[in-house]
C-alpha cells in the first residue's frame, strides 16, 4: 500500500514538472519571437541611420553650393555697381 502511494506521489510530481517545463518552453518561444523582431528593427534602424548620414552629407554639399552661388551673385552685383543686379548692358538701349 505504501508503495502505491510513493508511486502516485512520484507520478504526480512528474506531471507537475512536465507542466512547468511546458510553461517555460512557451515563454521561451515568445521571447525568441520578440528577440527576432528586435533584431529586425535594429537592422532597419541601422539602414535608416546610414541613409540619414548620406542625406546629411547631401544637405551639407547643397549648403556649400548655395553659399558659393550667393558669393558669386554678390561678386556680380559688386562688379557692376548696381544694387538691383542689372549690369550696364541691361540698362542701355539696344542698338538693334
Amino acid at each position: 500500500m505504501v508503495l502505491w502511494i510513493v508511486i502516485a506521489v512520484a507520478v504526480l510530481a512528474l506531471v507537475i514538472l512536465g507542466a512547468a517545463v511546458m510553461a517555460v518552453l512557451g515563454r521561451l518561444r515568445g521571447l525568441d519571437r520578440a528577440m527576432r523582431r528586435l533584431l529586425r528593427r535594429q537592422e532597419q534602424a541601422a539602414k535608416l541611420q546610414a541613409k540619414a548620414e548620406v542625406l546629411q552629407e547631401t544637405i551639407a554639399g547643397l549648403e556649400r553650393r548655395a553659399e558659393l552661388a550667393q558669393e558669386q551673385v554678390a561678386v556680380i552685383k559688386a562688379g557692376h555697381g548696381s544694387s538691383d543686379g542689372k549690369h550696364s548692358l541691361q540698362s542701355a538701349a539696344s542698338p538693334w
Side-chain angles (χ1 to χ4, degrees):
M1 180 78 173
V2 175
L3 180 64
W4 289 108
I5 294 173
V6 171
I7 291 174
V9 169
V11 168
L12 182 63
L14 287 175
V15 169
I16 292 173
L17 180 64
V21 166
M22 294 301 288
V24 169
L25 287 177
R27 289 183 181 177
L28 285 176
R29 287 187 199 118
L31 288 174
D32 185 49
R33 284 192 302 268
M35 183 184 66
R36 280 192 238 135
R37 280 195 306 261
L38 286 174
L39 287 174
R40 277 196 305 268
R41 289 205 178 165
Q42 184 180 15
E43 290 172 1
Q44 291 172 349
K47 289 178 185 177
L48 286 175
Q49 185 176 6
K51 288 180 181 180
E53 289 173 358
V54 169
L55 184 59
Q56 189 175 9
E57 291 173 3
T58 302
I59 289 172
L62 287 173
E63 287 175 348
R64 285 191 299 271
R65 288 176 60 189
E67 289 172 1
L68 287 174
Q70 286 177 348
E71 290 173 3
Q72 290 174 350
V73 167
V75 167
I76 290 171
K77 284 183 179 180
H80 295 294
S82 175
S83 63
D84 61 358
K86 294 182 180 179
H87 54 74
S88 60
L89 293 178
Q90 289 179 333
S91 62
S94 175
W96 294 290

